[in-house]
Amino acid sequence: MKQLLRSPLTLAIALVNASLATHAMAQNDAQNPPKSKPVLEEIVVTATKRETNLMDTPIAITVMTEEVLMQQGIANVKDIDKLVPNMDITIDSSQSAPVISMRGVRSTNITELGDPAVGLHLDGIYSPRPQGAMALMFDVERVEAQRGPQGTLFGRNSTVGNINIITKRPDTQELAGSLGVELGNFNHRQVRGMINVPVTDTFALRGSFMLEERDSYLNGYYDPNQWDTRYLSEDIRNAPLYTGAEEDKSLIQRARWWDGGADGVQELVKADEADFYNNSDQYSFRLAGQWEPSEDFSWYVAYERFQDDSAGSADTIDCDKAALRVRTDEDGNYLDASGNLSATPVPGSDGCERIYGPGADSYTVNVSVPGEQDLNIQNVRSNLRWDFSDAMAFVYNAGWARQTRTQMSDQDRGITDWDMSIFFREATFVSHSHELQLQSTDAGPLQWVTGLFFFEENNDMQGGWMNSMASADYWNQSDRTLASQAVFAQGTYDITERLHLTAGYRYTRDTKEDVGGHNMSCNDSNPNLLAPELNGGVCFPSWDRETFNNLPQDYFWNKGIYTSVTNNDIKGEWDYHNYRLGLDYDLSDDTMIFAYVANGTKSGGIGDVVVQYEQDPTTTEYPLDENGERIVKKRWGNTYEPEEVITYETGVKTDLLDHSLRLSATVFYSDYSDMQVATAKPLFVTYSFERDGETGEETGEISADPFTVFQTDNIGKAEIKGVEIEFDWALTENDRLNGYVSYLDTKIVSDFYQQWTHATVDLFEIEHADSVDPENTALTTNLKGNELPSSPKYSLNINYSHTFDLHRGATLVPWVNVSWKDKSYYSIFNSEKHEELFASETPDAFSDTRESVTNLNLGIKYTAASDNWSLEAFCNNATDETEFYWGGGGDGVIKGPVSMPRFYGVRANYRF
């Protein structure tokens, strides 16, 4: 396999040979047809912005119908990754957002500063915020997942692919409706419904909805021993004193030195699963209208609203990795699981039970800040089409979206005695887009589409980070904007009846700007101008737990108490050109081969501005330093360049065995330049001049401290190559087998020197201050040769179902789905490749390796003879695998979002 993938030429030759062999098989099948074979129905897609047969569309694309989504228990985009080759989705708990990766490429900057690497579209309209992928999918016609650059037609940040969710449209032909109910363990309840009403012969309305509630699958506790107890109820705050054994205490109970110390240790309080982290409490509805006054004109308009009132999600500890760590005391002596001295290392002595107590596992979590989430997404989508002549049509797609998020979540989760939390306060993102197209509609040799695209987004980000013992930070970014304009054209010309040439081009100009944004701080050196009586006149009562917990719950949500640290005024502009050039050839009526070269671009971006001070003898703006030199303030604006990829891809699509077997295979090679990677990066950041303690006058000395910023960098070059094979086989009239197998090889191929930021304290066994010192050259590492994150080398997915024909036309269909993904990495650091750098005796305990995982889903469905109702039993994750979607280091453990345990239930559907 590795030899096969060494050059695009080799890939092309190998695939053409495979295509010719496939063509020969098809001819043989035609000469010797089987006695009885079912025929797979045609699938229509809109991947080229016109309706085409899936098997005639020369790109790699996976299509999922609503029936498939419901069978697999998929309610939003974040759960479809197992159905799409070389696709992987992780979760960022702090931002309530998925991180979507295709073919090894992703974007971990999911703040208002970042852009996704995989474009998300709703009915062909671009959705900019990654949180939009969390919205419920219901009453869906199909989901199309396209792989490879889609820059010419879909534009915005589709360097590696895009996902298009196509909803069902109103139908003027008949009154129809449906109702579905799903019940499962963890007190799961889901209801979905639809009604279609023909108002006239030319106008119809369609209303649909979905709501879901489910208890948390975490083993959660509230901990009144932690520093911040302002959000806990009085009953929890006044929990009884702990009376158990010393060795059964949690880490916080043992470490508790404040307010009574060991004499004040309280019991943990079991959380109510109904409103704890990782529960579900969400609904969505859509009202749509379709007007078709003639065969030449149609207008579809839809309003959709999504509301998530859950507690949000919480990261938990990877207990398997924690069990690899050997526990020691302050002098380096080995300890056993009970904390007693041991002559030899004791693996497993420093696992989850040391942190959370006896019986703790990867679903255990202790918090002092209850989760709160109020995520509201509203959007209006309009699709208008006018076939104004026999040869051309005008299409106008418009969209408006508003996302508002208020969120609060515990960030330390009792893993350390540093009590931390994060909050967002009505963070608002408003966007609108317009796309105007002209399309050819005749049967001539040239089929084309051209158009204009306009997009704007206005963001108001209000949120902050709490270090409950010492300080708080606030992000006041009330006017961050993005504007994008593009012009595009793509056409396919029939050189001969069988040979077709496709060419496309797009010019884009992006502008990003921050006006009046500030990073702000609140600590014991800042005066409290709004309410000095609350805490002795200072903004933050550092190390004073009693005063801190007497502050109102919303005290730190008021930006007026903070002092500005930076002025983030910054602007960036970029323009870029995307192209596509491809050939496809029909070997027969049932077999096509194709090859193309295309590039894609992910927009450049802006970041927070960092303020630094330097000596400059030519200025009089600032005072003299101790050496008699003038000091001047420098503003360092974090901007980064666009990411570009050139992809070479060749493939084959064929229908075999009298159209009972559908096969697609692609081989691709992608060359990335200026690849964007977002990481936490240490810097020296200067906040202010130091002042004389007696006079209060500036001393001329600068207060400079290490500071970590979340920053996007251009890392240089990376190469990605792989193979994707998809199949759908109707084995008999009653047996169906489909799925995929894929291979992926990713590598950073240029020098990329980066300061180590994954589990640095634990791997290097250094103090925190040293781990964030930007001048600590011992941490500088060349990541050349590393693999890209979320890039399992091999993966496969297999689905099998058998239909039992029962009395009078009823059916019983058992089905099984097996998916497997090879190991990959959580980060670009690939820690197992750099173990010579580490001081830790157990580096595997802090590894960023994501282990391979096998997932089994199964069910059985009964459909009545009338075909208007069905009943299904299902079980997802039947083998009860524990999978971490992502893992970050720090505080002596690896932690991240964990998969749901075994989930089972029944669903019933009725339609009329």
Side-chain angles (χ1 to χ4, degrees), residues 455-636:
F455 176 83
E456 286 190 4
E457 183 180 30
N458 297 281
N459 302 328
D460 181 0
M461 170 60 77
Q462 303 293 320
W465 174 273
M466 292 289 305
N467 182 347
S468 302
M469 295 177 178
S471 63
D473 297 313
Y474 192 91
W475 311 308
N476 177 21
Q477 314 293 349
S478 59
D479 190 13
R480 274 187 167 159
T481 59
L482 160 66
S484 181
Q485 302 89 35
V487 56
F488 64 91
Q490 183 163 305
T492 299
Y493 180 72
D494 299 335
I495 299 175
T496 69
E497 185 178 352
R498 293 184 178 275
L499 181 63
H500 318 282
L501 170 68
T502 297
Y505 170 77
R506 188 184 192 102
Y507 169 78
T508 304
R509 183 171 185 83
D510 284 348
T511 304
K512 294 182 179 181
E513 186 173 12
D514 187 319
V515 178
H518 298 279
N519 289 344
M520 312 175 80
S521 70
C522 171
N523 54 58
D524 59 7
S525 66
N526 300 145
N528 186 345
L529 302 178
L530 293 182
E533 71 280 359
L534 286 178
N535 52 19
V538 298
C539 177
F540 199 101
S542 296
W543 310 108
D544 185 346
R545 186 174 186 241
E546 181 179 0
T547 301
F548 175 83
N549 281 304
N550 284 330
L551 295 174
Q553 291 184 357
D554 61 353
Y555 175 76
F556 294 103
W557 292 36
N558 185 350
K559 62 186 176 184
I561 70 171
Y562 293 82
T563 300
S564 292
V565 175
T566 63
N567 177 354
N568 287 333
D569 286 348
I570 191 171
K571 183 176 182 180
E573 293 182 310
W574 305 267
D575 57 355
Y576 39 91
H577 307 267
N578 294 127
Y579 61 85
R580 186 180 193 90
L581 185 64
L583 286 170
D584 59 273
Y585 181 74
D586 298 321
L587 291 175
S588 69
D589 292 341
D590 298 327
T591 302
M592 174 191 72
I593 58 173
F594 67 90
Y596 73 82
V597 56
N599 78 334
T601 309
K602 186 166 68 172
S603 175
I606 61 176
D608 293 339
V609 174
V610 175
V611 176
Q612 296 178 322
Y613 294 86
E614 296 178 0
Q615 282 72 27
D616 186 344
T618 64
T619 181
T620 59
E621 183 179 358
Y622 292 99
L624 296 173
D625 68 8
E626 57 186 355
N627 297 318
E629 295 181 333
R630 296 289 179 183
I631 299 173
V632 64
K633 180 170 67 173
K634 301 286 188 179
R635 296 179 75 251
W636 174 71

Side-chain angles (χ1 to χ4, degrees), residues 144-155:
E144 299 178 1
Q146 305 171 49
R147 300 180 298 285
Q150 307 297 322
T152 52
L153 289 182
F154 285 90

Side-chain angles (χ1 to χ4, degrees), residues 296 387-393 439-444:
D296 300 328
D387 290 79
F388 60 88
S389 76
D390 293 337
M392 285 190 292
Q439 298 181 2
S440 63
T441 59
D442 60 9

Side-chain angles (χ1 to χ4, degrees), residues 91-97 110-111 131 312-315 373 405 407-411 413 421-424 464-465 475 886 897:
I91 304 295
D92 186 306
S93 299
S94 66
Q95 296 277 350
S96 295
I110 55 175
T111 70
Q131 287 83 3
S313 58
D315 293 345
Q373 181 160 281
R405 176 163 54 106
Q407 182 183 344
M408 182 173 65
S409 61
D410 195 301
Q411 291 297 290
R413 297 170 297 280
S421 61
I422 192 172
F423 65 87
F424 295 94
W465 174 273
W475 311 308
W886 177 83

